[in-house]
Amino acid sequence: MSLVHIIDVESGNLQSLQNAINYLGYETKLIKSASDPELLTAERLILPGVGNFGHFLDNLASRGFEQPIKDYIASGRPLMGICVGLQSLFDGSVESPKSKGLGLIPGTLSKFSTTDGKSVPEIGWNTIVPEEDLFFGLDPYKRYYFVHSYAMIVNDNQLDVLRGNGWKTALTKYGNEKFVAAVQKDNVFATQFHPEKSGEAGLKVIDNFLKGIHPVTQYTDEQKAILANDYTNFGLTRRIIACLDVRTNDQGDLVVTKGDQYDVREKSEEGNVRNLGKPVELAQRYYKQGADEVTFLNITSFRNCPLKDTPMLDVLRLAAKTVFVPLTVGGGIKDVVDTDGTKIPALEVAGMYFRSGADKVSIGTDAVFAAEKYYANGEKGDGTSPIETISKAYGAQAVVISVDPKRVYVKDPSETKNKCLETVFPSEDGKKWCWYQCTIRGGRETRDLGAWELAHACEALGAGEILLNCIDKDGSNSGYDLELIDHVKSAVSVPVIASSGAGIPAHFEEAFEKTKADACLGAGMFHREEYTVKQVKEYLASKGLKVRLDEF
Ligand code: 1PR
């Protein structure tokens, strides 16, 4: 079996990349030290990076990798950069002005602007358009998964400079900004997107790079017609996320369950925990149906189990071997005291999940505590909350905040310190104003903090995305709470995932058309097999919405 070497400066999660390469039939070996003699003999090298540009470049420099990587490239052997790995090839980035890039490609990265109304970071599936001939099979009919706030944003002059230096590019547009999605020159190839998280399309790119081939996919007219919504215009597709609420049932088996306003027990006399399937099998099923992401929520912590034996780690390890879209895990991401009394900081808990294959962690209860502290401190963090520590080490894009709010009606907004909205659905006793009260511990305890205030504080503390549940709507199949979505959207510029209430494909369309939701999540309707993810996407496509439909 051929070997692929991966530079590891402990900046982010390399498990997903290793899984993808293993799946393609290659072995992987991490190179952690610049003096590793295998760097001199490696036949294919990958330079992956996530998170902060400066953190990554400084780590490369302090570990003495800079010159050996340049020597490797000069030797003519193939190198592939991914995400911050691509960014590191440029001169620098406004993200970390003091850190120098490798300087192989002229140009400085800048941050996406929000003035055109887009959410930053860019999280989702975008089209690429290769400027010249296709390289490594990059396919303008496919979608690739991007997650980043900084990019090599280019105008015509900068493109001329790149061309003049012999770099071929594939470009993408996010909002009004055009940026470099991939570059190639001689033996160097790099992508801003994550091929290891871009489904079959991404695996193909990695495979082609490892084989050193540049195939062009031939499509039938029928296929082109199906994919038309994919390539005719730039911009993110409507992201559809399948969510698995996981816990042990009364027999001790790990099951995917589903609540009804968070009550996961059957209404029958026995009141058993609803069992809707096995977590890994369902994750694989939704991946094959075209889910753009899969989220696992550990809805009861496995309290009597040493952390390293938490069954959720195994679920992730197994799922990540065959599911090549982003995986989020939530539940119990906080500072914990292990069964033997050892204190384990949240950063380490998150690290265990990242090393098992998670791409993002979602924080519920602890995010509420962090936000309360943020306001008590005069709207400042103190650097110790899990949001801050995890975001600093793994990047904002790796930290999702799971919000579990309940609607509270008031006669007048002055009745609460939390932000209210005037609702078109007044309460039975005629109250027209409402706010959304945050809950903790799976909805069992309420706090005097609104969802708007929570989202606002968590973004300031470093969260990169909001997973917006709604206890009133959970399991109701009656559609999302549209008012809640735009209410929370108005608090943040990071993406917001609408959750709770999806029952039919039209509910997804409604959320995308009537609110500013960046993604929609569904659970019960998929588990009960009333609809597949593919059917939802086909429905959205039939309504003219862009979706990723390329897994067929
Ligand atoms: O507080 O950081 O330990 O995280 C606990 C996590 O577990 C939180 O993300 C919280 O939302 C989740 N959780 C806790 N208890 C429950 C429960 O159901 N009893 N599940 C629970 C939350 C909400 C969604 C659900 C959507 C869509 N589930 O995940 O999938 O509402 O459902 P639908 O499409 O069928 O309507 P911490």
Side-chain angles (χ1 to χ4, degrees), residues 102-158:
L102 295 173
L104 298 169
I105 314 179
T108 300
L109 296 119
S110 40
K111 189 169 187 183
F112 282 128
S113 150
T114 51
T115 51
D116 53 7
K118 62 182 184 272
S119 303
V120 176
E122 175 185 40
I123 299 184
W125 301 76
N126 210 331
T127 321
I128 52 140
V129 172
E131 254 206 316
E132 300 170 31
D133 17 329
L134 304 173
F135 39 94
F136 298 116
L138 284 184
D139 187 339
Y141 286 87
K142 298 288 187 197
R143 291 279 175 171
Y144 298 95
Y145 183 75
F146 290 82
V147 46
H148 58 134
S149 299
Y150 296 81
M152 186 59 212
I153 298 167
V154 284
N155 55 29
D156 288 345
N157 289 343
Q158 284 155 321

Side-chain angles (χ1 to χ4, degrees), residues 245-447:
D245 289 357
V246 180
R247 61 164 286 169
T248 35
N249 65 9
D250 302 316
Q251 289 71 47
D253 302 321
L254 199 63
V255 298
V256 172
T257 189
K258 185 64 224 63
D260 188 2
Q261 299 194 321
Y262 285 33
D263 179 1
V264 297
R265 293 196 175 266
E266 306 274 12
K267 299 278 180 275
S268 64
E269 240 169 56
E270 297 81 38
N272 291 327
V273 170
R274 283 192 198 103
N275 177 353
L276 293 162
K278 294 186 181 162
V280 178
E281 278 174 20
L282 287 192
Q284 286 166 339
R285 186 208 287 172
Y286 299 140
Y287 170 64
K288 290 199 179 121
Q289 290 177 4
D292 295 314
E293 285 182 33
V294 178
T295 294
F296 298 91
L297 295 178
N298 173 358
I299 69 167
T300 54
S301 300
F302 301 100
R303 290 183 199 91
N304 302 321
C305 173
L307 194 65
K308 68 175 180 22
D309 298 329
T310 296
M312 205 62 160
L313 289 171
D314 263 343
V315 166
L316 273 166
R317 265 182 222 118
L318 283 171
K321 280 189 200 299
T322 52
V323 176
F324 298 107
V325 292
L327 302 178
T328 301
V329 65
I333 309 292
K334 57 180 182 182
D335 298 338
V336 297
V337 178
D338 215 345
T339 42
D340 65 357
T342 319
K343 286 189 180 156
I344 307 183
L347 178 60
E348 221 171 288
V349 177
M352 283 185 188
Y353 284 111
F354 289 132
R355 286 191 294 279
S356 302
D359 301 286
K360 317 183 206 181
V361 291
S362 121
I363 308 176
T365 301
D366 236 64
V368 175
F369 297 148
E372 287 172 346
K373 206 161 150 198
Y374 169 87
Y375 288 111
N377 275 350
E379 309 211 1
K380 275 198 308 282
D382 62 6
T384 63
S385 71
I387 303 174
E388 291 158 285
T389 56
I390 301 169
S391 169
K392 188 163 171 232
Y394 291 93
Q397 82 295 331
V399 182
V400 182
I401 303 304
S402 174
V403 193
D404 298 318
K406 273 183 185 166
R407 181 181 274 228
V408 178
Y409 284 100
V410 285
K411 244 198 197 140
D412 189 273
S414 60
E415 285 174 40
T416 168
K417 66 179 171 49
N418 297 299
K419 208 182 246 324
C420 290
L421 64 88
E422 193 173 4
T423 173
V424 293
F425 304 105
S427 65
E428 280 174 11
D429 59 355
K431 290 180 183 142
K432 284 198 192 127
W433 292 88
C434 71
W435 63 287
Y436 288 90
Q437 182 167 32
C438 290
T439 67
I440 55 171
R441 306 190 216 287
R444 286 193 293 278
E445 220 178 286
T446 52
R447 310 290 289 193

